[in-house]
Amino acid sequence: MQADFMHEAIRLARENMLAGRGGPFGAVVVKDGKIIGRGWNQVTSTNDPTAHAEVTAIREACGALGDFKLSGCELYTSCEPCPMCLAAIYWARVDKVFYAGTRADAADAGFDDDFLYREIPLPIEARKLPMTPLLRANAQKVFAEWKAKPDKVPY
């Protein structure tokens, strides 16, 4: 079964890449042996830099379940997830990830996810993207309100 799910992720990657819908990436989310979410890279066709295969599959799966948590689900992706997708996978609470290509394979094809992996552990001031703190006290007030909110939905 696992190979079948990976074949579907790779098929989505190839089909949509050849159709000009985005890069060569596909993903499926599986629950109880059934695909509940399919995704492919749609960055260039939607002008959305967050429309990676894993993210679009997660969005579809969450919609199918009516929940923002994908506990009990597995994700099959045609390539090792980039840092953004990996974070989305963690946020979605996916139980397990299977991947085909590696980030080295993606880099060889012109996708430099490794740059992001190298940037993340750096101190903020050492990163290539300038980041400046601003109005922290104002933001802290909103966090205090969140902490006190009796009807919040934790995630």
Side-chain angles (χ1 to χ4, degrees):
M1 281 296 265
Q2 293 172 340
D4 292 337
F5 297 135
M6 187 60 77
H7 281 299
E8 176 64 3
I10 294 168
R11 184 194 70 76
L12 288 166
R14 185 172 189 274
E15 176 183 299
N16 289 286
M17 180 263 307
L18 290 174
R21 294 185 189 106
F25 304 97
V28 296
V29 176
V30 174
K31 185 172 178 79
D32 300 326
K34 294 188 174 123
I35 295 175
I36 61 166
R38 285 179 170 82
W40 55 88
N41 183 284
Q42 300 172 36
V43 170
T44 57
S45 60
T46 63
N47 295 318
D48 178 354
T50 69
H52 289 201
E54 297 90 339
V55 171
T56 59
I58 287 169
R59 289 173 182 163
E60 185 172 289
C62 287
L65 293 180
D67 197 345
F68 58 87
K69 293 181 194 168
L70 296 177
S71 302
C73 295
E74 299 172 339
L75 187 138
Y76 294 78
T77 179
S78 64
C79 188
E80 180 181 355
C82 75
M84 176 187 71
C85 292
L86 184 59
I89 291 163
Y90 272 104
W91 282 120
R93 311 294 195 263
V94 171
D95 286 1
K96 190 168 187 177
V97 175
F98 297 88
Y99 64 94
T102 67
R103 66 186 186 201
D105 298 331
D108 184 59
F111 298 92
D112 196 9
D113 300 356
D114 197 54
F115 165 74
L116 297 174
Y117 275 104
R118 289 190 314 269
E119 283 283 294
I120 290 169
L122 294 175
I124 289 175
E125 61 278 358
R127 294 179 184 162
K128 301 281 186 231
L129 178 65
M131 295 178 66
T132 305
L134 184 64
L135 297 176
R136 180 177 179 205
N138 296 49
Q140 287 175 318
K141 288 177 188 175
V142 178
F143 282 127
E145 290 173 5
W146 168 257
K147 287 173 18 180
K149 188 174 174 16
D151 61 342
K152 69 181 167 226
V153 177
Y155 60 95

